[in-house]
Structure formats: C-alpha cells, structure tokens
Amino acid sequence: MYDYLIVGAGLYGAVFANRKKDQGRRCLVIDRRDHIGGNIYSQQVEGIEVHRYGPHIFHTDRREVWNYVNRFAEFNHFTYAPVACYRGELYNLPFNMNTFVRMWDIRTPKEAREMIDRQVREAGITHAANLEEQAVSLVGRDVYEKLIKGYTEKQWGRPCRELPASIIKRLPVRMTFDNNYFNHPWQGIPKKGYTEMVKGMLEGTEVRLGIDFLARREELSRLAERIVYTGPIDEYFGYRFGSLEYRSLRFETEVLEISNYQGTAGMNFTDSEVPYTRIIEHKHFTFGEGNPEKTVITREYPLAWRPGAEAYYPLGDAGNQALYEKYRSLAEKEKNTSFGGRLGTYRYLDMDQVIAQAMEDAG
C-alpha cells in the first residue's frame, strides 16, 4: 500500500516523509505518542507557546537546512542566553567575559586568560581523560566547581570523572562580552510553534498516532516496501545484547499568576542541592508575547532511564559505543529497514543535524 512506513513522527520522520512525498513516493507515518513532532512538540497553554519536552532553540550554520525549515515556518530572531544560578549567585552563560568578571572581579580578557591558565597549570592536566579534566582545562577550577560540576552530575547521574570528555566539548568559551549561546548565523524559534512547522512538513502524508510499531510489527511491516525506524535501536532488536544507556527527564510545568518570573528563557541551577537542573520560562522564547497577566514555567528534573521510559540523551561513553556497534551491525543486515534520528543512530544530535541527516538519507 505504501512505499515507506516511517516509524516516528518526530523531526527526522517528518523531514524524510516530506522529501519522499516531493519525490512522488507514498508514505505512512506512525507514532506511539498521541501527537506529531516528537520531542520538539509545542502547545498553547494560557496563550503561551510551551515546549512540552524541554526547550528547543533552532540554530544552524547550514544554509540548505535554514532554507528548508523556512518553507514551513516563519522564525523570530531569538538567541539563547541562559543564566546560571549557583546558591543565589547569578552568572551569564555561555562562559564569557560577563561570567569571568562576576567570578573573579576582573575587567579584561588578558586577566581572565591569565586566571584560567594559572588554574589549568595548577591542575597539572596534560591530557583530559574525562569530563572533569576537560572542563578544568577549558575554564579552570573555579568555573568548573561552581557552574559545571553540580549541574552535570545531576544531568547525567554520574560523577564528572566517570563521564567522557566529549560531553563538555560542546560548551563555548569566549573572551568577549557575548551572551549568545550559539555561534551559528541562523537562529530562532518558529513564530507559530514547532508543532505547526512539523504539521507543514507532514501535509499531504498520512499520519496515524497512538500506534506502537514494535507491538504490531508483523502486521504493520506488510503495509510498505521499506521501513524507516527512528525509535531506540536496542529496543527494535529486543535488547538482544542488553540496553544502551540513556538519561531521561521529568517535567513539572506550572502556570503562575504573574507576567514575568525570572526574566530569562533558561535559568540553570548548578549546585547539587537544587534537585532540578533548570527552569524554563516559555514566553521569553517569543519576547514576552502571549498572556500579559500570566507566565508558564517548567522545572526539568533528570531521571535514571530504564526500558519503557522516554530516552532523551544517549550516554555515549566507550562501553555504550561498543554496545551500539553490535546493534549497528545487526541493523546493516536488516532487510528493507533503515534507522535514523537520535535514537535510531544512538547519537546526540541537534535539530539541524537531524534535518540534514534526514535530507541526505531521503535523497
């Protein structure tokens, strides 16, 4: 009945389906959730667009990706500039001169560089073998202790010394007074929300929600010539070699009877005493638009993951990568089935990377 059965109505599945539809192929997209959009799903709450599964700020340096998403959404010019709270002390992120001035009461990039270099020398790190050593070698001991250690250990559920150095390499460090978290030239939030953007991608494609592919695999597989699977690759194979490790999240969303709660879209809580990692105030993604008398905040709590829970962040250390390679070998032998997206390829991917991957895979 269909050329492609696409399992997952998230970003990868929507882009793949859109490209194949444009090529004249007939696709069926299914998802076990009751909505499209996957983790970028957004919805109106009290007149405010709310990111249900955590904040998603679109940013890219790929012109073809930027041109593509602008076919389906008009973007505002939002740039992410979160604030870190350490036991009541507030610091700008990403790590920049505003951070260093607050941390050390210095004034110039030269002073900041000298302070970091001195702390790196005192640490005696020549080759960063884990996240803690990588972080200290980037920004020194003070910034690590106040703004990285507690947050990271809450997020990943492990001591920083047991986490791979690669996790922290994503963090920018600047010797300028620039609070823009991302360096990419194209950034923003869809003015009508991510759900509307994904709806545009899926226009003209049949979508069925509330369907668990793995529970009805034999029946559903007969519907199409090929299957594109975007769920967890280890779950697809029945955890044959054991479970890959992920981190999960719990979101606690609250409507407040005030117009402005924290003055920023993202406030990170970097000490270990606060149980959540951050508070998101959604109306600041759209510069305060929406209900002028109310605001919506979401507290984000990291959780240990177990099979059946939502998998948000692949824990890509050496052991898990070796396990993934076993599943990847199985996937390569799977007849008429391909795997894509963050969970299907067990990679931490930004939205633009997911879109680029889907565009390339769809041809």
Side-chain angles (χ1 to χ4, degrees), residues 50-54 249-255 275-276 278-280 282 296-301:
V50 170
H51 301 204
R52 184 192 284 188
Y53 303 101
L249 296 169
R250 177 173 69 86
F251 302 101
E252 186 181 90
T253 298
E254 183 179 1
V255 178
Y276 42 85
R278 58 185 173 183
I279 294 178
I280 301 303
H282 300 270
V296 181
I297 64 170
T298 299
R299 295 178 179 88
E300 195 170 298
Y301 295 83

mmCIF file with all atom_site columns, all heavy atoms in Angstrom, residues 50-54 249-255 275-276 278-280 282 296-301:
data_model
loop_
_atom_site.group_PDB
_atom_site.id
_atom_site.type_symbol
_atom_site.label_atom_id
_atom_site.label_alt_id
_atom_site.label_comp_id
_atom_site.label_asym_id
_atom_site.label_entity_id
_atom_site.label_seq_id
_atom_site.pdbx_PDB_ins_code
_atom_site.Cartn_x
_atom_site.Cartn_y
_atom_site.Cartn_z
_atom_site.occupancy
_atom_site.B_iso_or_equiv
_atom_site.pdbx_formal_charge
_atom_site.auth_seq_id
_atom_site.auth_comp_id
_atom_site.auth_asym_id
_atom_site.auth_atom_id
_atom_site.pdbx_PDB_model_num
ATOM 1   N N   . VAL A 1 50  ? 4.259  26.568 24.666 1.00 0.00 ? 50  VAL A N   1
ATOM 2   C CA  . VAL A 1 50  ? 5.049  25.829 25.647 1.00 0.00 ? 50  VAL A CA  1
ATOM 3   C C   . VAL A 1 50  ? 5.746  24.654 24.970 1.00 0.00 ? 50  VAL A C   1
ATOM 4   O O   . VAL A 1 50  ? 5.113  23.871 24.242 1.00 0.00 ? 50  VAL A O   1
ATOM 5   C CB  . VAL A 1 50  ? 4.152  25.330 26.801 1.00 0.00 ? 50  VAL A CB  1
ATOM 6   C CG1 . VAL A 1 50  ? 4.906  24.351 27.703 1.00 0.00 ? 50  VAL A CG1 1
ATOM 7   C CG2 . VAL A 1 50  ? 3.632  26.511 27.618 1.00 0.00 ? 50  VAL A CG2 1
ATOM 8   N N   . HIS A 1 51  ? 7.038  24.517 25.202 1.00 0.00 ? 51  HIS A N   1
ATOM 9   C CA  . HIS A 1 51  ? 7.820  23.372 24.724 1.00 0.00 ? 51  HIS A CA  1
ATOM 10  C C   . HIS A 1 51  ? 7.634  22.238 25.735 1.00 0.00 ? 51  HIS A C   1
ATOM 11  O O   . HIS A 1 51  ? 8.218  22.272 26.815 1.00 0.00 ? 51  HIS A O   1
ATOM 12  C CB  . HIS A 1 51  ? 9.296  23.737 24.621 1.00 0.00 ? 51  HIS A CB  1
ATOM 13  C CG  . HIS A 1 51  ? 9.580  24.877 23.693 1.00 0.00 ? 51  HIS A CG  1
ATOM 14  N ND1 . HIS A 1 51  ? 10.810 25.044 23.093 1.00 0.00 ? 51  HIS A ND1 1
ATOM 15  C CD2 . HIS A 1 51  ? 8.820  25.905 23.245 1.00 0.00 ? 51  HIS A CD2 1
ATOM 16  C CE1 . HIS A 1 51  ? 10.790 26.123 22.329 1.00 0.00 ? 51  HIS A CE1 1
ATOM 17  N NE2 . HIS A 1 51  ? 9.593  26.663 22.420 1.00 0.00 ? 51  HIS A NE2 1
ATOM 18  N N   . ARG A 1 52  ? 6.837  21.235 25.378 1.00 0.00 ? 52  ARG A N   1
ATOM 19  C CA  . ARG A 1 52  ? 6.464  20.228 26.374 1.00 0.00 ? 52  ARG A CA  1
ATOM 20  C C   . ARG A 1 52  ? 7.665  19.412 26.856 1.00 0.00 ? 52  ARG A C   1
ATOM 21  O O   . ARG A 1 52  ? 7.739  19.021 28.020 1.00 0.00 ? 52  ARG A O   1
ATOM 22  C CB  . ARG A 1 52  ? 5.403  19.271 25.822 1.00 0.00 ? 52  ARG A CB  1
ATOM 23  C CG  . ARG A 1 52  ? 4.947  18.279 26.894 1.00 0.00 ? 52  ARG A CG  1
ATOM 24  C CD  . ARG A 1 52  ? 4.125  17.130 26.340 1.00 0.00 ? 52  ARG A CD  1
ATOM 25  N NE  . ARG A 1 52  ? 2.772  17.527 26.022 1.00 0.00 ? 52  ARG A NE  1
ATOM 26  C CZ  . ARG A 1 52  ? 1.823  16.630 25.669 1.00 0.00 ? 52  ARG A CZ  1
ATOM 27  N NH1 . ARG A 1 52  ? 2.114  15.336 25.588 1.00 0.00 ? 52  ARG A NH1 1
ATOM 28  N NH2 . ARG A 1 52  ? 0.619  17.037 25.380 1.00 0.00 ? 52  ARG A NH2 1
ATOM 29  N N   . TYR A 1 53  ? 8.608  19.123 25.965 1.00 0.00 ? 53  TYR A N   1
ATOM 30  C CA  . TYR A 1 53  ? 9.717  18.231 26.320 1.00 0.00 ? 53  TYR A CA  1
ATOM 31  C C   . TYR A 1 53  ? 11.041 18.978 26.434 1.00 0.00 ? 53  TYR A C   1
ATOM 32  O O   . TYR A 1 53  ? 12.081 18.496 25.989 1.00 0.00 ? 53  TYR A O   1
ATOM 33  C CB  . TYR A 1 53  ? 9.832  17.105 25.286 1.00 0.00 ? 53  TYR A CB  1
ATOM 34  C CG  . TYR A 1 53  ? 8.566  16.292 25.142 1.00 0.00 ? 53  TYR A CG  1
ATOM 35  C CD1 . TYR A 1 53  ? 7.703  16.522 24.072 1.00 0.00 ? 53  TYR A CD1 1
ATOM 36  C CD2 . TYR A 1 53  ? 8.224  15.321 26.073 1.00 0.00 ? 53  TYR A CD2 1
ATOM 37  C CE1 . TYR A 1 53  ? 6.538  15.777 23.917 1.00 0.00 ? 53  TYR A CE1 1
ATOM 38  C CE2 . TYR A 1 53  ? 7.053  14.574 25.935 1.00 0.00 ? 53  TYR A CE2 1
ATOM 39  C CZ  . TYR A 1 53  ? 6.215  14.808 24.858 1.00 0.00 ? 53  TYR A CZ  1
ATOM 40  O OH  . TYR A 1 53  ? 5.055  14.078 24.722 1.00 0.00 ? 53  TYR A OH  1
ATOM 41  N N   . GLY A 1 54  ? 11.006 20.140 27.019 1.00 0.00 ? 54  GLY A N   1
ATOM 42  C CA  . GLY A 1 54  ? 12.232 20.906 27.195 1.00 0.00 ? 54  GLY A CA  1
ATOM 43  C C   . GLY A 1 54  ? 12.438 21.897 26.065 1.00 0.00 ? 54  GLY A C   1
ATOM 44  O O   . GLY A 1 54  ? 11.836 21.787 24.993 1.00 0.00 ? 54  GLY A O   1
ATOM 45  N N   . LEU A 1 249 ? 14.074 12.367 31.582 1.00 0.00 ? 249 LEU A N   1
ATOM 46  C CA  . LEU A 1 249 ? 13.716 13.641 32.200 1.00 0.00 ? 249 LEU A CA  1
ATOM 47  C C   . LEU A 1 249 ? 12.283 13.591 32.712 1.00 0.00 ? 249 LEU A C   1
ATOM 48  O O   . LEU A 1 249 ? 11.433 12.878 32.168 1.00 0.00 ? 249 LEU A O   1
ATOM 49  C CB  . LEU A 1 249 ? 13.835 14.796 31.196 1.00 0.00 ? 249 LEU A CB  1
ATOM 50  C CG  . LEU A 1 249 ? 15.215 15.129 30.635 1.00 0.00 ? 249 LEU A CG  1
ATOM 51  C CD1 . LEU A 1 249 ? 15.086 16.107 29.472 1.00 0.00 ? 249 LEU A CD1 1
ATOM 52  C CD2 . LEU A 1 249 ? 16.121 15.721 31.711 1.00 0.00 ? 249 LEU A CD2 1
ATOM 53  N N   . ARG A 1 250 ? 12.041 14.378 33.744 1.00 0.00 ? 250 ARG A N   1
ATOM 54  C CA  . ARG A 1 250 ? 10.671 14.628 34.209 1.00 0.00 ? 250 ARG A CA  1
ATOM 55  C C   . ARG A 1 250 ? 10.435 16.129 34.180 1.00 0.00 ? 250 ARG A C   1
ATOM 56  O O   . ARG A 1 250 ? 11.291 16.910 34.609 1.00 0.00 ? 250 ARG A O   1
ATOM 57  C CB  . ARG A 1 250 ? 10.467 14.094 35.630 1.00 0.00 ? 250 ARG A CB  1
ATOM 58  C CG  . ARG A 1 250 ? 9.076  14.380 36.193 1.00 0.00 ? 250 ARG A CG  1
ATOM 59  C CD  . ARG A 1 250 ? 8.870  13.681 37.522 1.00 0.00 ? 250 ARG A CD  1
ATOM 60  N NE  . ARG A 1 250 ? 9.699  14.247 38.575 1.00 0.00 ? 250 ARG A NE  1
ATOM 61  C CZ  . ARG A 1 250 ? 9.365  15.306 39.318 1.00 0.00 ? 250 ARG A CZ  1
ATOM 62  N NH1 . ARG A 1 250 ? 8.227  15.949 39.103 1.00 0.00 ? 250 ARG A NH1 1
ATOM 63  N NH2 . ARG A 1 250 ? 10.172 15.726 40.281 1.00 0.00 ? 250 ARG A NH2 1
ATOM 64  N N   . PHE A 1 251 ? 9.282  16.532 33.654 1.00 0.00 ? 251 PHE A N   1
ATOM 65  C CA  . PHE A 1 251 ? 8.973  17.948 33.519 1.00 0.00 ? 251 PHE A CA  1
ATOM 66  C C   . PHE A 1 251 ? 7.814  18.309 34.442 1.00 0.00 ? 251 PHE A C   1
ATOM 67  O O   . PHE A 1 251 ? 6.787  17.633 34.465 1.00 0.00 ? 251 PHE A O   1
ATOM 68  C CB  . PHE A 1 251 ? 8.599  18.283 32.072 1.00 0.00 ? 251 PHE A CB  1
ATOM 69  C CG  . PHE A 1 251 ? 9.683  17.940 31.091 1.00 0.00 ? 251 PHE A CG  1
ATOM 70  C CD1 . PHE A 1 251 ? 9.616  16.783 30.337 1.00 0.00 ? 251 PHE A CD1 1
ATOM 71  C CD2 . PHE A 1 251 ? 10.777 18.770 30.927 1.00 0.00 ? 251 PHE A CD2 1
ATOM 72  C CE1 . PHE A 1 251 ? 10.605 16.466 29.426 1.00 0.00 ? 251 PHE A CE1 1
ATOM 73  C CE2 . PHE A 1 251 ? 11.789 18.453 30.033 1.00 0.00 ? 251 PHE A CE2 1
ATOM 74  C CZ  . PHE A 1 251 ? 11.695 17.303 29.282 1.00 0.00 ? 251 PHE A CZ  1
ATOM 75  N N   . GLU A 1 252 ? 8.000  19.379 35.180 1.00 0.00 ? 252 GLU A N   1
ATOM 76  C CA  . GLU A 1 252 ? 6.981  19.881 36.103 1.00 0.00 ? 252 GLU A CA  1
ATOM 77  C C   . GLU A 1 252 ? 6.598  21.285 35.647 1.00 0.00 ? 252 GLU A C   1
ATOM 78  O O   . GLU A 1 252 ? 7.359  22.238 35.842 1.00 0.00 ? 252 GLU A O   1
ATOM 79  C CB  . GLU A 1 252 ? 7.561  19.904 37.524 1.00 0.00 ? 252 GLU A CB  1
ATOM 80  C CG  . GLU A 1 252 ? 6.615  20.269 38.621 1.00 0.00 ? 252 GLU A CG  1
ATOM 81  C CD  . GLU A 1 252 ? 7.335  20.274 39.971 1.00 0.00 ? 252 GLU A CD  1
ATOM 82  O OE1 . GLU A 1 252 ? 7.867  21.337 40.352 1.00 0.00 ? 252 GLU A OE1 1
ATOM 83  O OE2 . GLU A 1 252 ? 7.387  19.205 40.615 1.00 0.00 ? 252 GLU A OE2 1
ATOM 84  N N   . THR A 1 253 ? 5.447  21.405 35.003 1.00 0.00 ? 253 THR A N   1
ATOM 85  C CA  . THR A 1 253 ? 5.025  22.675 34.406 1.00 0.00 ? 253 THR A CA  1
ATOM 86  C C   . THR A 1 253 ? 3.974  23.342 35.287 1.00 0.00 ? 253 THR A C   1
ATOM 87  O O   . THR A 1 253 ? 3.063  22.680 35.797 1.00 0.00 ? 253 THR A O   1
ATOM 88  C CB  . THR A 1 253 ? 4.485  22.448 32.992 1.00 0.00 ? 253 THR A CB  1
ATOM 89  O OG1 . THR A 1 253 ? 5.540  21.919 32.179 1.00 0.00 ? 253 THR A OG1 1
ATOM 90  C CG2 . THR A 1 253 ? 3.994  23.745 32.367 1.00 0.00 ? 253 THR A CG2 1
ATOM 91  N N   . GLU A 1 254 ? 4.111  24.660 35.424 1.00 0.00 ? 254 GLU A N   1
ATOM 92  C CA  . GLU A 1 254 ? 3.252  25.412 36.328 1.00 0.00 ? 254 GLU A CA  1
ATOM 93  C C   . GLU A 1 254 ? 2.864  26.745 35.687 1.00 0.00 ? 254 GLU A C   1
ATOM 94  O O   . GLU A 1 254 ? 3.697  27.418 35.083 1.00 0.00 ? 254 GLU A O   1
ATOM 95  C CB  . GLU A 1 254 ? 4.006  25.660 37.645 1.00 0.00 ? 254 GLU A CB  1
ATOM 96  C CG  . GLU A 1 254 ? 3.236  26.360 38.717 1.00 0.00 ? 254 GLU A CG  1
ATOM 97  C CD  . GLU A 1 254 ? 4.045  26.550 40.001 1.00 0.00 ? 254 GLU A CD  1
ATOM 98  O OE1 . GLU A 1 254 ? 5.230  26.147 40.033 1.00 0.00 ? 254 GLU A OE1 1
ATOM 99  O OE2 . GLU A 1 254 ? 3.491  27.108 40.966 1.00 0.00 ? 254 GLU A OE2 1
ATOM 100 N N   . VAL A 1 255 ? 1.593  27.106 35.823 1.00 0.00 ? 255 VAL A N   1
ATOM 101 C CA  . VAL A 1 255 ? 1.107  28.415 35.387 1.00 0.00 ? 255 VAL A CA  1
ATOM 102 C C   . VAL A 1 255 ? 1.144  29.354 36.593 1.00 0.00 ? 255 VAL A C   1
ATOM 103 O O   . VAL A 1 255 ? 0.605  29.026 37.650 1.00 0.00 ? 255 VAL A O   1
ATOM 104 C CB  . VAL A 1 255 ? -0.325 28.323 34.824 1.00 0.00 ? 255 VAL A CB  1
ATOM 105 C CG1 . VAL A 1 255 ? -0.831 29.712 34.433 1.00 0.00 ? 255 VAL A CG1 1
ATOM 106 C CG2 . VAL A 1 255 ? -0.373 27.374 33.631 1.00 0.00 ? 255 VAL A CG2 1
ATOM 107 N N   . PRO A 1 275 ? 17.249 20.102 43.228 1.00 0.00 ? 275 PRO A N   1
ATOM 108 C CA  . PRO A 1 275 ? 17.075 18.815 42.548 1.00 0.00 ? 275 PRO A CA  1
ATOM 109 C C   . PRO A 1 275 ? 16.868 18.914 41.043 1.00 0.00 ? 275 PRO A C   1
ATOM 110 O O   . PRO A 1 275 ? 17.089 17.938 40.329 1.00 0.00 ? 275 PRO A O   1
ATOM 111 C CB  . PRO A 1 275 ? 15.825 18.229 43.220 1.00 0.00 ? 275 PRO A CB  1
ATOM 112 C CG  . PRO A 1 275 ? 15.066 19.420 43.711 1.00 0.00 ? 275 PRO A CG  1
ATOM 113 C CD  . PRO A 1 275 ? 16.107 20.420 44.118 1.00 0.00 ? 275 PRO A CD  1
ATOM 114 N N   . TYR A 1 276 ? 16.416 20.055 40.535 1.00 0.00 ? 276 TYR A N   1
ATOM 115 C CA  . TYR A 1 276 ? 16.216 20.206 39.099 1.00 0.00 ? 276 TYR A CA  1
ATOM 116 C C   . TYR A 1 276 ? 17.420 20.905 38.480 1.00 0.00 ? 276 TYR A C   1
ATOM 117 O O   . TYR A 1 276 ? 18.183 21.598 39.163 1.00 0.00 ? 276 TYR A O   1
ATOM 118 C CB  . TYR A 1 276 ? 14.923 20.964 38.780 1.00 0.00 ? 276 TYR A CB  1
ATOM 119 C CG  . TYR A 1 276 ? 14.648 22.165 39.664 1.00 0.00 ? 276 TYR A CG  1
ATOM 120 C CD1 . TYR A 1 276 ? 15.201 23.410 39.384 1.00 0.00 ? 276 TYR A CD1 1
ATOM 121 C CD2 . TYR A 1 276 ? 13.817 22.052 40.782 1.00 0.00 ? 276 TYR A CD2 1
ATOM 122 C CE1 . TYR A 1 276 ? 14.954 24.508 40.195 1.00 0.00 ? 276 TYR A CE1 1
ATOM 123 C CE2 . TYR A 1 276 ? 13.566 23.142 41.592 1.00 0.00 ? 276 TYR A CE2 1
ATOM 124 C CZ  . TYR A 1 276 ? 14.127 24.359 41.295 1.00 0.00 ? 276 TYR A CZ  1
ATOM 125 O OH  . TYR A 1 276 ? 13.877 25.439 42.106 1.00 0.00 ? 276 TYR A OH  1
ATOM 126 N N   . ARG A 1 278 ? 17.177 22.985 35.617 1.00 0.00 ? 278 ARG A N   1
ATOM 127 C CA  . ARG A 1 278 ? 16.869 24.309 35.094 1.00 0.00 ? 278 ARG A CA  1
ATOM 128 C C   . ARG A 1 278 ? 15.377 24.594 35.177 1.00 0.00 ? 278 ARG A C   1
ATOM 129 O O   . ARG A 1 278 ? 14.555 23.679 35.307 1.00 0.00 ? 278 ARG A O   1
ATOM 130 C CB  . ARG A 1 278 ? 17.351 24.459 33.658 1.00 0.00 ? 278 ARG A CB  1
ATOM 131 C CG  . ARG A 1 278 ? 16.806 23.461 32.657 1.00 0.00 ? 278 ARG A CG  1
ATOM 132 C CD  . ARG A 1 278 ? 17.468 23.656 31.298 1.00 0.00 ? 278 ARG A CD  1
ATOM 133 N NE  . ARG A 1 278 ? 17.099 22.616 30.342 1.00 0.00 ? 278 ARG A NE  1
ATOM 134 C CZ  . ARG A 1 278 ? 17.574 22.522 29.112 1.00 0.00 ? 278 ARG A CZ  1
ATOM 135 N NH1 . ARG A 1 278 ? 18.445 23.411 28.679 1.00 0.00 ? 278 ARG A NH1 1
ATOM 136 N NH2 . ARG A 1 278 ? 17.194 21.556 28.298 1.00 0.00 ? 278 ARG A NH2 1
ATOM 137 N N   . ILE A 1 279 ? 15.064 25.889 35.090 1.00 0.00 ? 279 ILE A N   1
ATOM 138 C CA  . ILE A 1 279 ? 13.689 26.346 34.949 1.00 0.00 ? 279 ILE A CA  1
ATOM 139 C C   . ILE A 1 279 ? 13.591 27.076 33.619 1.00 0.00 ? 279 ILE A C   1
ATOM 140 O O   . ILE A 1 279 ? 14.388 27.974 33.331 1.00 0.00 ? 279 ILE A O   1
ATOM 141 C CB  . ILE A 1 279 ? 13.264 27.281 36.098 1.00 0.00 ? 279 ILE A CB  1
ATOM 142 C CG1 . ILE A 1 279 ? 13.242 26.517 37.430 1.00 0.00 ? 279 ILE A CG1 1
ATOM 143 C CG2 . ILE A 1 279 ? 11.886 27.882 35.805 1.00 0.00 ? 279 ILE A CG2 1
ATOM 144 C CD1 . ILE A 1 279 ? 12.875 27.395 38.624 1.00 0.00 ? 279 ILE A CD1 1
ATOM 145 N N   . ILE A 1 280 ? 12.620 26.677 32.818 1.00 0.00 ? 280 ILE A N   1
ATOM 146 C CA  . ILE A 1 280 ? 12.350 27.320 31.537 1.00 0.00 ? 280 ILE A CA  1
ATOM 147 C C   . ILE A 1 280 ? 11.118 28.197 31.691 1.00 0.00 ? 280 ILE A C   1
ATOM 148 O O   . ILE A 1 280 ? 10.087 27.748 32.205 1.00 0.00 ? 280 ILE A O   1
ATOM 149 C CB  . ILE A 1 280 ? 12.113 26.268 30.439 1.00 0.00 ? 280 ILE A CB  1
ATOM 150 C CG1 . ILE A 1 280 ? 13.341 25.359 30.290 1.00 0.00 ? 280 ILE A CG1 1
ATOM 151 C CG2 . ILE A 1 280 ? 11.766 26.935 29.121 1.00 0.00 ? 280 ILE A CG2 1
ATOM 152 C CD1 . ILE A 1 280 ? 14.624 26.080 29.990 1.00 0.00 ? 280 ILE A CD1 1
ATOM 153 N N   . HIS A 1 282 ? 8.667  29.958 29.298 1.00 0.00 ? 282 HIS A N   1
ATOM 154 C CA  . HIS A 1 282 ? 8.430  29.785 27.868 1.00 0.00 ? 282 HIS A CA  1
ATOM 155 C C   . HIS A 1 282 ? 8.144  31.076 27.116 1.00 0.00 ? 282 HIS A C   1
ATOM 156 O O   . HIS A 1 282 ? 8.515  31.204 25.946 1.00 0.00 ? 282 HIS A O   1
ATOM 157 C CB  . HIS A 1 282 ? 7.293  28.784 27.658 1.00 0.00 ? 282 HIS A CB  1
ATOM 158 C CG  . HIS A 1 282 ? 7.581  27.431 28.223 1.00 0.00 ? 282 HIS A CG  1
ATOM 159 N ND1 . HIS A 1 282 ? 8.184  26.430 27.508 1.00 0.00 ? 282 HIS A ND1 1
ATOM 160 C CD2 . HIS A 1 282 ? 7.386  26.918 29.471 1.00 0.00 ? 282 HIS A CD2 1
ATOM 161 C CE1 . HIS A 1 282 ? 8.317  25.348 28.255 1.00 0.00 ? 282 HIS A CE1 1
ATOM 162 N NE2 . HIS A 1 282 ? 7.839  25.624 29.457 1.00 0.00 ? 282 HIS A NE2 1
ATOM 163 N N   . VAL A 1 296 ? 4.240  30.794 32.141 1.00 0.00 ? 296 VAL A N   1
ATOM 164 C CA  . VAL A 1 296 ? 4.326  29.340 32.308 1.00 0.00 ? 296 VAL A CA  1
ATOM 165 C C   . VAL A 1 296 ? 5.784  28.964 32.476 1.00 0.00 ? 296 VAL A C   1
ATOM 166 O O   . VAL A 1 296 ? 6.630  29.345 31.664 1.00 0.00 ? 296 VAL A O   1
ATOM 167 C CB  . VAL A 1 296 ? 3.731  28.597 31.089 1.00 0.00 ? 296 VAL A CB  1
ATOM 168 C CG1 . VAL A 1 296 ? 3.819  27.077 31.305 1.00 0.00 ? 296 VAL A CG1 1
ATOM 169 C CG2 . VAL A 1 296 ? 2.284  29.012 30.856 1.00 0.00 ? 296 VAL A CG2 1
ATOM 170 N N   . ILE A 1 297 ? 6.084  28.236 33.550 1.00 0.00 ? 297 ILE A N   1
ATOM 171 C CA  . ILE A 1 297 ? 7.449  27.781 33.792 1.00 0.00 ? 297 ILE A CA  1
ATOM 172 C C   . ILE A 1 297 ? 7.473  26.254 33.835 1.00 0.00 ? 297 ILE A C   1
ATOM 173 O O   . ILE A 1 297 ? 6.468  25.609 34.155 1.00 0.00 ? 297 ILE A O   1
ATOM 174 C CB  . ILE A 1 297 ? 8.046  28.342 35.092 1.00 0.00 ? 297 ILE A CB  1
ATOM 175 C CG1 . ILE A 1 297 ? 7.271  27.839 36.322 1.00 0.00 ? 297 ILE A CG1 1
ATOM 176 C CG2 . ILE A 1 297 ? 8.073  29.871 35.052 1.00 0.00 ? 297 ILE A CG2 1
ATOM 177 C CD1 . ILE A 1 297 ? 7.953  28.152 37.647 1.00 0.00 ? 297 ILE A CD1 1
ATOM 178 N N   . THR A 1 298 ? 8.618  25.684 33.497 1.00 0.00 ? 298 THR A N   1
ATOM 179 C CA  . THR A 1 298 ? 8.813  24.240 33.573 1.00 0.00 ? 298 THR A CA  1
ATOM 180 C C   . THR A 1 298 ? 10.117 23.952 34.294 1.00 0.00 ? 298 THR A C   1
ATOM 181 O O   . THR A 1 298 ? 11.174 24.446 33.899 1.00 0.00 ? 298 THR A O   1
ATOM 182 C CB  . THR A 1 298 ? 8.854  23.605 32.169 1.00 0.00 ? 298 THR A CB  1
ATOM 183 O OG1 . THR A 1 298 ? 7.610  23.840 31.513 1.00 0.00 ? 298 THR A OG1 1
ATOM 184 C CG2 . THR A 1 298 ? 9.090  22.100 32.264 1.00 0.00 ? 298 THR A CG2 1
ATOM 185 N N   . ARG A 1 299 ? 10.026 23.169 35.360 1.00 0.00 ? 299 ARG A N   1
ATOM 186 C CA  . ARG A 1 299 ? 11.226 22.671 36.042 1.00 0.00 ? 299 ARG A CA  1
ATOM 187 C C   . ARG A 1 299 ? 11.604 21.336 35.412 1.00 0.00 ? 299 ARG A C   1
ATOM 188 O O   . ARG A 1 299 ? 10.747 20.485 35.179 1.00 0.00 ? 299 ARG A O   1
ATOM 189 C CB  . ARG A 1 299 ? 10.976 22.510 37.536 1.00 0.00 ? 299 ARG A CB  1
ATOM 190 C CG  . ARG A 1 299 ? 10.714 23.824 38.243 1.00 0.00 ? 299 ARG A CG  1
ATOM 191 C CD  . ARG A 1 299 ? 10.430 23.606 39.730 1.00 0.00 ? 299 ARG A CD  1
ATOM 192 N NE  . ARG A 1 299 ? 10.203 24.879 40.393 1.00 0.00 ? 299 ARG A NE  1
ATOM 193 C CZ  . ARG A 1 299 ? 9.008  25.487 40.488 1.00 0.00 ? 299 ARG A CZ  1
ATOM 194 N NH1 . ARG A 1 299 ? 7.945  24.894 39.945 1.00 0.00 ? 299 ARG A NH1 1
ATOM 195 N NH2 . ARG A 1 299 ? 8.886  26.642 41.096 1.00 0.00 ? 299 ARG A NH2 1
ATOM 196 N N   . GLU A 1 300 ? 12.888 21.164 35.172 1.00 0.00 ? 300 GLU A N   1
ATOM 197 C CA  . GLU A 1 300 ? 13.384 19.981 34.464 1.00 0.00 ? 300 GLU A CA  1
ATOM 198 C C   . GLU A 1 300 ? 14.215 19.132 35.430 1.00 0.00 ? 300 GLU A C   1
ATOM 199 O O   . GLU A 1 300 ? 15.253 19.561 35.918 1.00 0.00 ? 300 GLU A O   1
ATOM 200 C CB  . GLU A 1 300 ? 14.227 20.430 33.273 1.00 0.00 ? 300 GLU A CB  1
ATOM 201 C CG  . GLU A 1 300 ? 14.509 19.348 32.263 1.00 0.00 ? 300 GLU A CG  1
ATOM 202 C CD  . GLU A 1 300 ? 15.128 19.916 30.996 1.00 0.00 ? 300 GLU A CD  1
ATOM 203 O OE1 . GLU A 1 300 ? 14.466 20.730 30.314 1.00 0.00 ? 300 GLU A OE1 1
ATOM 204 O OE2 . GLU A 1 300 ? 16.290 19.568 30.708 1.00 0.00 ? 300 GLU A OE2 1
ATOM 205 N N   . TYR A 1 301 ? 13.726 17.921 35.679 1.00 0.00 ? 301 TYR A N   1
ATOM 206 C CA  . TYR A 1 301 ? 14.387 17.004 36.614 1.00 0.00 ? 301 TYR A CA  1
ATOM 207 C C   . TYR A 1 301 ? 15.024 15.848 35.840 1.00 0.00 ? 301 TYR A C   1
ATOM 208 O O   . TYR A 1 301 ? 14.312 15.107 35.142 1.00 0.00 ? 301 TYR A O   1
ATOM 209 C CB  . TYR A 1 301 ? 13.376 16.408 37.601 1.00 0.00 ? 301 TYR A CB  1
ATOM 210 C CG  . TYR A 1 301 ? 12.738 17.397 38.545 1.00 0.00 ? 301 TYR A CG  1
ATOM 211 C CD1 . TYR A 1 301 ? 11.645 18.166 38.152 1.00 0.00 ? 301 TYR A CD1 1
ATOM 212 C CD2 . TYR A 1 301 ? 13.204 17.551 39.850 1.00 0.00 ? 301 TYR A CD2 1
ATOM 213 C CE1 . TYR A 1 301 ? 11.040 19.051 39.013 1.00 0.00 ? 301 TYR A CE1 1
ATOM 214 C CE2 . TYR A 1 301 ? 12.607 18.440 40.725 1.00 0.00 ? 301 TYR A CE2 1
ATOM 215 C CZ  . TYR A 1 301 ? 11.520 19.188 40.306 1.00 0.00 ? 301 TYR A CZ  1
ATOM 216 O OH  . TYR A 1 301 ? 10.914 20.071 41.167 1.00 0.00 ? 301 TYR A OH  1
#
